[in-house]
Amino acid sequence: MATLEIDRVRKSFGSVEVLKGVSISIADGDFLVLLGPSGCGKSTLLSMIAGLESVTSGEIRIANDVVNDLPPKDRDIAMVFQSYALYPTMTVRQNIEFGMKIRGVQPAERAKATLAAAEMLQMKHLLDRRPSQLSGGQRQRVAMGRAVVRDPKLFLFDEPLSNLDAKLRVDMRTEIKRLHQRLGTTIVYVTHDQIEAMTLATRVAVMKDGVVQQLDDPQVVYDRPANTYVAKFVGSPSMSLIPARLAVDGAGAVAVFDIPNEKPARISGIPIAKENATKFNGQNVLVGIRPELFTVSDGKPGRTISVHIDVVEPTGPDTLALFQIGGVEVTARVPPKTVEARKSATLTVDTTKIVLFDAVTEDRID
Amino acid sequence: MAANVRSRHRQHATGRALIYGGLLCLAAFYLMPLWVIITTSVKHLDEIYAGSFIGLPKEITFDAWRSAWSEACNGTACKGLKPYFINSLIMVVPAVILSTGIGAINGYVITKWRFPGSNFIFGILLFGCFLPFQAVILPMAQTLGFLGLAGTLAGLVLVHTVYGIAFTTLFFRNYFVGVPDELVKAAQIDGAGFMRIFVSIMLPTALPIIVVSCIWQFTQIWNDYLFGVSFTAGENAPITVALNNVVNVSMGRKEYNVDMAAAMIAGLPTLIVYIVAGRYFVRGLTAGAVKG
Amino acid sequence: MKRSIRFSDRLANWLPRLVLTPSLLVVLVAVYLFIAWTGWISLSSSNIVPRYDFVGLEQYVRLWSTPRWHTAVANLFIFSSLFLGLTTGLGLLMAILLDQRIRAEGALRAIFLYPMALSFIVTGTAWKWILNPALGVQKVVNDAGWTSFVFDWISQPRFAIYCVVIAAVWQSTGFAMAIFLAGLRGIDNSVIKAAQIEGAGLPLIYRTIIVPMLRPAFLSVIVLLSYVAIKSFDLILALTNTGPGSATEMPSTFMYAATFRRDQMGVGAASAMMMLMTVAAIIVPYLYSELKETRDGC
């Protein structure tokens, strides 16, 4: 078990810089998720932590040791790959024991460790099969078993669930969470799936173009995204970002939405810090509203907005209603059968959870 | 409507008949030479001169085979093909093993331990697949002389190994490209080094391509004539050279049955390999084409 | 706390390069240096033994004023065009026929391909016997009643080269077939189904949709067979021994005879360089495009 510090790390392939000074620091036992679209540098960063890629500049420290120049085998890490990377010609048992064999662990001890890992992951009956005889989920289990027997300081997961079908993905996600709770080992986990990030992480680092956009607890990332990029990337359906003009009154900020040929709509009671209230008064901003902040109106004035519903998408537990405000499409999550398509509706907004973004820099306004 | 269906049906049947007819004619054309070689080789010479070319032998005799194996003359000696068959065996075994082994490790480095310029090196090696050997035969003869290997089987082993590397590297490179890089990364994290990964993980997965490479190299080297005739003489000649000499020796009445038996003896090893492992042979053939 | 890098780790970083180096050196010497060496000999006055002087293009002038070389080049042209055309056409036909969900496909494929396993020397020996006018095919047809049938190309200087074509086509068609068949099997079946639904018949589908989709296979077949044609050497020696007279002389046999039999090492080297340039003109663009595509692919 160990802390991990990534300190102003850069990585270039030739003239292309894929990591532009990344700093992340996590505590012992943390579950860090590196979240971002493909090509954002998250997998490269993981490879650098593993020692499979060299570090162009900056430092990586595992348990306060600088590991920049250590080969992977000396970093005391274990890694689970997207394609599982099981050795195809070896049985499950041989796969799990391969690393111990190289480190010179005695056969009796190897067998014991293998059995313990197999028991923990409920795959004792698979030990003598070959990878080609296993299902995707079973392969995933074996890959995790191979990592677990090392008892490393740090677990690395590289999109481990992307090759599984939807149902299995949810099961294995729980499995990984259980593993973390049980072992308490520090984990770094790469994914492009924001739900995996939300469910698994104790810390999430949202990355884009080789830069960390936000490093926070998952709930903070969800509730208070650092910029519009994070706001859009985390949460599904994603947060609506509506252009508006900001006015300030005694109770906080008021967002004024221009509606063509009509009186502008207003939503008041948005929290804003004092210094920003004066700074952004009368400025253009983006108003970030998550779908669940809308409720079908209880008639309280000032926090309601009248809309014309375009499309209704029932999902079962609730219904997504799509409509236009200020020229952009907005999604609301409302109870089933409470709104109808092509009809008007009055919706109330929980304004205390609205997030404002600077229209120019797209950063959050506190 | 029914008539229409029936005519469609008849059309279909005629089509099938044409397809099978065409294929059978082609098959007959391709089998004919083999048939002629085998039947001729077991006929008496008198029967052949009496004009039996395509027919079954009246009486089967293996005299021609015995003669081709141990008596036929090739211009210098009359010891049959046996010593040259053995020469070819002595030459082909080490050359196949060496070139396949070197190709395997080259393919492994080029795909799994890429470094700046490794793709360029692959390109440089690749041209060797398509080298017209006439362009190197003179310097090679000089070099073999300089190394004291002129006219020896060891020299031939060296030449075949050197010019085989290009193809074997191509085989293994194309195979290992399909093996996920993550396998190597996982093994690195498990603590395995360069050689350990090669021996414990890559080679066991590469079994099919090892067979392909061995078969390809065996066929190429066994069937080679140019290097054999250029770099060896007399006693050390491989079987292809000896066969051509036997066939072209003209003393008295031409013994066609012995020629055919000799051709069969020279062709048999590769033919057997083809029959036993045809699938791998075809993979080798097509590996040089269709997407490298 | 910075751990020091061990020597063994640093060695491990260089090991891949070290392993590749011997192969690279050997190929650089045995292919590229040797080509340069041959090139130098072709510019020298070498005859019986190599002489490392410089006489400019004298040997090339001598080469191109040798009638035998003109025969060889003309023969190569005739041989290559017929060989390529027939092998490609026949190979494509076989592949298409075999692709019709045929019974005993495996056996037929094996029959079409087995000649590829044989040495050209064996092929040449067999066909020399088959084409023998006194005892071979001609006699069979004569004996069958068609007494005026004449098939003595192998002893006719004007026609002997076509015998070489027949034997070479027999040997190599299976290769073309294998590549075309692989190409056909790679074509998505739904394309054919879509065309059938639109009412197209099979011949039309093949002509307008499938054959054009085999473009890469055509490229491979033609390039690789050109290489086979240019370097073909053993087949000619075994089948006609460049005869009758020098009627079936080819660049490869010319090179060999000039170098090892007629003590014209310089001329031989010049002819080898001509062959190399022809092959390179075909192969280098091909390899370049293949390599480039794979690079784009990843």
Side-chain angles (χ1 to χ4, degrees):
Chain A
M1 294 202 244
T3 58
L4 169 69
E5 282 137 24
I6 297 163
D7 192 0
R8 285 162 294 164
V9 160
R10 289 174 182 276
K11 176 71 183 178
S12 308
F13 293 108
S15 58
V16 186
E17 192 168 44
V18 292
L19 290 178
K20 299 163 185 166
V22 169
S23 294
I24 295 171
S25 166
I26 55 169
D28 186 12
D30 257 339
F31 194 129
L32 169 70
V33 171
L34 302 175
L35 177 66
S38 58
C40 72
K42 59 191 193 300
S43 284
T44 307
L45 181 58
L46 194 74
S47 289
M48 287 160 77
I49 299 170
L52 298 167
E53 292 278 3
S54 63
V55 177
T56 306
S57 75
E59 267 186 6
I60 296 175
R61 291 184 290 272
I62 299 173
N64 298 321
D65 283 343
V66 177
V67 295
N68 281 28
D69 298 317
L70 281 187
K73 64 180 160 66
D74 297 333
R75 296 192 180 195
D76 202 1
I77 50 161
M79 187 157 171
V80 176
F81 294 89
Q82 179 176 358
S83 67
Y84 320 129
L86 302 180
Y87 311 128
T89 54
M90 300 184 194
T91 62
V92 168
R93 189 190 306 277
Q94 288 166 329
N95 259 284
I96 295 176
E97 290 192 359
F98 184 68
M100 290 188 278
K101 218 158 128 185
I102 288 173
R103 290 194 303 278
V105 178
Q106 291 306 307
E109 216 170 305
R110 288 199 313 242
K112 217 175 97 192
T114 304
L115 207 62
E119 244 156 33
M120 185 166 95
L121 292 161
Q122 292 149 28
M123 54 173 200
K124 251 169 83 178
H125 59 295
L126 302 177
L127 282 177
D128 293 310
R129 297 210 197 151
R130 283 182 196 280
S132 56
Q133 300 166 301
L134 303 178
S135 69
Q138 289 170 331
R139 285 180 206 185
Q140 187 61 66
R141 251 171 235 278
V142 176
M144 276 161 64
R146 192 169 64 181
V148 166
V149 287
R150 297 209 56 174
D151 189 20
K153 281 190 208 148
L154 195 60
F155 277 121
L156 307 176
F157 287 85
D158 189 5
E159 309 224 12
L161 304 182
S162 341
N163 283 4
L164 299 176
D165 61 49
K167 167 84 175 70
L168 209 51
R169 199 178 303 168
V170 176
D171 294 346
M172 287 310 293
R173 202 169 69 198
T174 314
E175 198 78 25
I176 292 173
K177 184 117 190 177
R178 194 171 287 141
L179 186 82
H180 180 237
Q181 285 172 353
R182 194 150 167 184
L183 300 174
T185 311
T186 315
I187 291 180
V188 182
Y189 184 108
V190 162
T191 184
H192 61 262
D193 180 345
Q194 51 95 19
I195 296 179
E196 277 173 33
M198 292 302 295
T199 49
L200 291 171
T202 61
R203 306 283 283 165
V204 174
V206 183
M207 294 181 65
K208 180 198 169 197
D209 298 337
V211 178
V212 174
Q213 306 291 312
Q214 187 170 11
L215 172 66
D216 251 317
D217 290 349
Q219 198 61 49
V220 175
V221 170
Y222 186 82
D223 290 337
R224 306 287 294 160
N227 52 38
T228 57
Y229 179 80
V230 177
K232 279 281 182 196
F233 198 84
V234 177
S236 172
S238 59
M239 180 186 273
S240 305
L241 295 173
I242 313 158
R245 207 154 19 88
L246 206 64
V248 178
D249 65 9
V254 180
V256 182
F257 307 105
D258 288 320
I259 298 169
N261 308 324
E262 270 182 57
K263 218 169 69 178
R266 302 163 71 87
I267 296 178
S268 57
I270 303 169
I272 190 165
K274 263 216 181 69
E275 67 273 20
N276 285 333
T278 40
K279 186 176 163 199
F280 286 96
N281 193 3
Q283 300 287 313
N284 288 330
V285 293
L286 292 168
V287 179
I289 312 179
R290 293 258 178 225
E292 62 273 16
L293 299 189
F294 291 99
T295 44
V296 178
S297 182
D298 55 2
K300 221 183 264 172
R303 306 202 166 170
T304 63
I305 188 159
S306 286
V307 296
H308 181 78
I309 308 286
D310 293 325
V311 180
V312 170
E313 295 174 347
T315 63
D318 40 38
T319 289
L320 302 178
L322 277 68
F323 47 87
Q324 298 263 330
I325 302 177
V328 295
E329 184 152 87
V330 179
T331 310
R333 193 193 294 275
V334 295
K337 307 258 179 203
T338 49
V339 292
E340 268 181 76
R342 300 184 189 182
K343 296 241 168 102
S344 291
T346 308
L347 301 174
T348 303
V349 189
D350 180 354
T351 51
T352 58
K353 289 190 177 163
I354 283 180
V355 189
L356 297 174
F357 298 95
D358 188 320
V360 182
T361 65
E362 306 208 331
D363 287 334
R364 188 184 67 226
I365 303 166
D366 284 315
Chain B
M1 190 71 191
N4 197 359
V5 168
R6 208 175 305 133
S7 94
R8 288 284 298 265
H9 200 82
R10 198 173 308 139
Q11 214 175 21
H12 180 76
T14 341
R16 296 304 281 181
L18 274 175
I19 290 171
Y20 277 103
L23 283 170
L24 286 178
C25 287
L26 285 166
F29 174 66
Y30 279 83
L31 279 176
M32 185 267 286
L34 189 63
W35 167 260
V36 170
I37 301 176
I38 293 173
T39 53
T40 306
S41 75
V42 293
K43 283 174 187 169
H44 284 293
L45 198 57
D46 291 336
E47 189 186 340
I48 293 168
Y49 276 95
S52 159
F53 169 73
I54 204 106
L56 276 169
K58 289 199 194 85
E59 188 195 350
I60 291 180
T61 164
F62 289 98
D63 286 353
W65 281 74
R66 207 193 53 243
S67 169
W69 181 248
S70 53
E71 290 160 17
C73 302
N74 63 6
T76 51
C78 291
K79 287 189 265 178
L81 287 180
K82 188 178 154 198
Y84 308 100
F85 191 93
I86 293 169
N87 281 350
S88 273
L89 275 183
I90 294 174
M91 162 188 82
V92 82
V93 172
V96 166
I97 294 172
L98 283 173
S99 56
T100 298
I102 294 169
I105 200 150
N106 284 350
Y108 167 59
V109 172
I110 288 169
T111 54
K112 296 292 172 247
W113 297 87
R114 279 177 290 254
F115 51 85
S118 59
N119 220 15
F120 179 68
I121 291 178
F122 177 58
I124 284 183
L125 292 181
L126 205 52
F127 182 67
C129 291
F130 302 103
L131 176 72
F133 294 122
Q134 280 82 5
V136 294
I137 216 157
L138 257 175
M140 189 44 110
Q142 303 278 317
T143 308
L144 286 178
F146 175 74
L147 295 173
L149 294 172
T152 65
L153 283 177
L156 268 192
V157 170
L158 177 72
V159 173
H160 282 301
T161 305
V162 165
Y163 293 111
I165 289 176
F167 250 109
T168 55
T169 303
L170 174 70
F171 286 145
F172 283 95
R173 183 261 183 195
N174 286 357
Y175 187 83
F176 285 143
V177 150
V179 174
D181 289 353
E182 293 186 336
L183 227 50
V184 174
K185 293 181 183 172
Q188 275 179 287
I189 289 174
D190 268 340
F194 176 82
M195 278 318 282
R196 180 79 183 231
I197 296 172
F198 180 61
V199 174
S200 299
I201 294 169
M202 298 306 275
L203 274 189
T205 60
L207 206 63
I209 204 68
I210 293 174
V211 176
V212 167
S213 172
C214 284
I215 289 178
W216 174 266
Q217 282 302 96
F218 177 80
T219 313
Q220 292 300 302
I221 298 171
W222 185 273
N223 288 343
D224 163 73
Y225 178 77
L226 180 61
F227 287 152
V229 77
S230 306
F231 302 140
T232 62
E235 298 246 294
N236 285 333
I239 185 125
T240 45
V241 175
L243 169 65
N244 200 43
N245 291 341
V246 164
V247 172
N248 285 327
V249 159
S250 45
M251 277 186 296
R253 198 155 75 141
K254 189 118 187 63
E255 295 183 306
Y256 288 108
N257 51 357
V258 175
D259 288 358
M260 292 304 117
M264 234 12 237
I265 289 171
L268 217 45
T270 50
L271 217 47
I272 289 173
V273 166
Y274 172 70
I275 290 164
V276 172
R279 201 160 52 90
Y280 294 98
F281 179 76
V282 177
R283 257 181 84 176
L285 275 182
T286 47
V290 201
K291 275 285 104 296
Chain C
M1 262 182 46
K2 193 163 175 135
R3 292 195 192 165
S4 66
I5 316 159
R6 276 168 310 194
F7 173 72
S8 64
D9 290 333
R10 219 173 313 158
L11 180 72
N13 285 336
W14 282 94
L15 202 53
R17 280 166 233 216
L18 283 177
V19 165
L20 206 53
T21 308
S23 292
L24 180 64
L25 286 181
V26 161
V27 169
L28 281 179
V29 169
V31 175
Y32 296 90
L33 183 72
F34 281 10
I35 286 174
W37 191 340
T38 305
W40 188 5
I41 290 177
S42 76
L43 298 174
S44 74
S45 63
S46 306
N47 277 328
I48 307 172
V49 289
R51 255 180 277 163
Y52 298 103
D53 52 358
F54 180 78
V55 294
L57 294 175
E58 206 174 274
Q59 304 285 11
Y60 289 87
V61 174
R62 264 173 82 191
L63 175 71
W64 283 101
S65 55
T66 310
R68 233 188 148 93
W69 174 250
H70 286 275
T71 314
V73 172
N75 275 338
L76 177 63
F77 187 74
I78 296 170
F79 174 76
S80 306
S81 28
L82 282 174
F83 171 67
L84 282 178
L86 286 171
T87 313
T88 311
L90 213 54
L92 181 63
L93 176 70
M94 283 175 183
I96 290 177
L97 290 181
L98 280 180
D99 200 31
Q100 305 304 316
R101 271 178 255 125
I102 287 297
R103 241 175 268 175
E105 186 203 314
L108 284 167
R109 221 174 34 199
I111 289 170
F112 297 148
L113 253 172
Y114 84 90
M116 279 303 288
L118 294 175
S119 161
F120 270 120
I121 296 288
V122 173
T123 304
T125 307
W127 279 93
K128 188 180 185 173
W129 163 233
I130 294 165
L131 296 169
N132 180 326
L135 294 166
V137 169
Q138 179 183 318
K139 182 155 169 44
V140 172
V141 179
N142 292 159
D143 288 350
W146 183 2
T147 47
S148 61
F149 177 79
V150 179
F151 187 55
D152 58 351
W153 287 0
I154 199 159
S155 52
Q156 298 282 344
R158 272 187 61 200
F159 293 109
I161 190 72
Y162 301 114
C163 292
V164 182
V165 172
I166 293 173
V169 167
W170 177 80
Q171 169 127 1
S172 302
T173 319
F175 169 70
M177 178 208 71
I179 291 185
F180 282 129
L181 200 56
L184 284 173
R185 294 282 145 90
I187 290 176
D188 182 4
N189 247 334
S190 55
V191 176
I192 300 170
K193 278 185 195 143
Q196 274 174 330
I197 286 168
E198 293 196 35
L202 264 189
L204 184 71
I205 293 176
Y206 270 99
R207 211 175 58 238
T208 55
I209 299 172
I210 297 180
V211 172
M213 281 173 88
L214 289 177
R215 229 181 71 95
F218 271 101
L219 186 69
S220 300
V221 166
I222 288 174
V223 167
L224 298 175
L225 288 180
S226 322
Y227 166 65
V228 170
I230 293 164
K231 69 168 196 146
S232 63
F233 168 70
D234 17 13
L235 179 63
I236 290 140
L237 286 194
L239 187 62
T240 61
N241 200 11
T242 73
S246 61
T248 51
E249 187 78 86
M250 292 268 265
S252 57
T253 53
F254 178 94
M255 184 273 161
Y256 184 80
T259 309
F260 293 107
R261 300 255 168 82
R262 291 202 297 273
D263 296 333
Q264 298 180 317
M265 203 176 267
V267 173
S271 66
M273 292 311 283
M274 299 305 304
M275 290 175 66
L276 175 75
M277 283 182 245
T278 315
V279 169
I282 298 167
I283 291 290
V284 169
Y286 171 71
L287 286 185
Y288 184 76
S289 73
E290 290 267 298
L291 273 184
K292 205 176 105 210
E293 271 172 57
T294 45
R295 209 176 304 145
D296 292 348
C298 64

